[in-house]
Amino acid sequence: DICVFEVEANPNQYEKIQAKEEAYAKMGWRYHLIRAAASDHKGVLEFWHNQDEESEEWSFGTKKFREDSVKVEIPALWWSKWILEEIVPRQL
């Protein structure tokens, strides 16, 4: 039995990923979106929408590239701790 977790920091991608999650659920697959940035600590990270929606926001990230970039604060998931707490204890 397989379960997939997708970690995505960009809120503009959530709708598309949610649709994928729902489609997979109809096939009996467990696929879950985690709306956060994977990090080495828990908290909040600053990300930037760099106005490149035509290329699916490939430049979305922690660097501001343009004057008209838009800052967003994204929850940071302490990735290694999450794996130890949520994945390691599972029965295989």
Side-chain angles (χ1 to χ4, degrees):
D1 207 15
I2 296 173
C3 186
V4 174
F5 298 95
E6 180 170 348
V7 179
E8 177 59 58
N10 187 343
N12 289 351
Q13 301 298 321
Y14 294 164
E15 187 176 324
K16 179 172 51 174
I17 297 168
Q18 182 70 39
K20 186 176 7 176
E21 183 177 39
E22 291 168 6
Y24 288 159
K26 289 177 184 175
M27 295 187 288
W29 299 357
R30 295 182 302 164
Y31 184 96
H32 303 285
L33 167 62
I34 299 173
R35 293 169 171 86
S39 182
D40 62 353
H41 66 280
K42 183 178 179 180
V44 175
L45 295 175
E46 187 176 278
F47 279 78
W48 294 91
H49 290 285
N50 287 300
Q51 310 306 328
D52 63 340
E53 291 83 5
E54 68 282 350
S55 59
E56 297 185 359
E57 287 200 292
W58 290 353
S59 70
F60 176 82
T62 58
K63 302 284 185 206
K64 179 180 180 180
F65 293 117
R66 299 167 45 130
E67 284 300 314
D68 61 347
S69 295
V70 177
K71 181 175 78 169
V72 291
E73 292 186 344
I74 303 296
L77 176 68
W78 187 351
W79 188 237
S80 60
K81 184 175 181 186
W82 184 86
I83 290 171
L84 289 172
E85 292 175 353
E86 301 294 331
I87 304 300
V88 172
R90 291 176 182 227
Q91 293 282 352
L92 299 179

